[in-house]
Amino acid sequence: MSATVERLKAQAFHTGPASQANQVIADARTLHTPGREATSWELLLPPRFEDVYLTSKVLPRLVYFLDCRGAKLPKVGAHFVSLFEQDTVYCIDGAVVIEALAALAGLSCEELVRRYGESGAGDPKLLGG
């Protein structure tokens, strides 16, 4: 398991059995932002190469999702990530996830939005590619 994934799991504000995911996520919605229902972004990691998957697939999609909903990174408002790992769901604040994945990718929040936001330019082309 990736060190990044382990850190994210350790920072979960709510967890529960994956077999009861609907209830776990519903409970997390009310716990995350009291008085306002939060939005969950569900994430199931592949069994191998978690860091590559996180930076190449998850990060661009998560930034786009948040930017389209008006989040101003690194603040994400009432959004959290529901990370499914084996038999457990880990509910993690979206800002914690963005911070960890930005560090993993070596990118600032401004660069993340420039690349992957709603009006993003995408990843830069590689020389010879």
Side-chain angles (χ1 to χ4, degrees), residues 30-101:
T30 58
L31 289 170
H32 185 268
T33 314
R36 186 171 154 207
E37 189 169 289
T39 302
S40 170
W41 197 79
E42 286 78 29
L43 171 59
L44 176 64
L45 291 176
R48 296 178 37 195
F49 308 112
E50 293 98 347
D51 286 351
V52 172
Y53 183 76
L54 288 170
T55 56
S56 68
K57 300 291 184 195
V58 172
L59 185 57
R61 292 173 182 162
L62 181 57
V63 169
Y64 182 80
F65 169 81
L66 293 169
D67 190 56
C68 286
R69 281 158 182 75
K72 302 296 180 208
L73 300 183
K75 297 179 181 178
V76 301
H79 300 288
F80 65 94
V81 172
S82 297
L83 172 65
F84 288 78
E85 200 251 339
Q86 296 182 0
D87 296 335
T88 305
V89 180
Y90 299 86
C91 300
I92 310 157
D93 184 87
V96 169
V97 176
I98 287 292
E99 180 183 319
L101 299 188

Side-chain angles (χ1 to χ4, degrees), residues 1-53:
M1 182 64 52
S2 148
T4 300
V5 173
E6 290 300 323
R7 280 192 305 276
L8 287 173
K9 288 173 20 182
Q11 295 183 67
F13 68 88
H14 186 62
T15 62
S19 62
Q20 298 174 12
N22 288 340
Q23 187 59 52
V24 172
I25 293 170
D27 292 345
R29 282 188 172 112
T30 58
L31 289 170
H32 185 268
T33 314
R36 186 171 154 207
E37 189 169 289
T39 302
S40 170
W41 197 79
E42 286 78 29
L43 171 59
L44 176 64
L45 291 176
R48 296 178 37 195
F49 308 112
E50 293 98 347
D51 286 351
V52 172
Y53 183 76

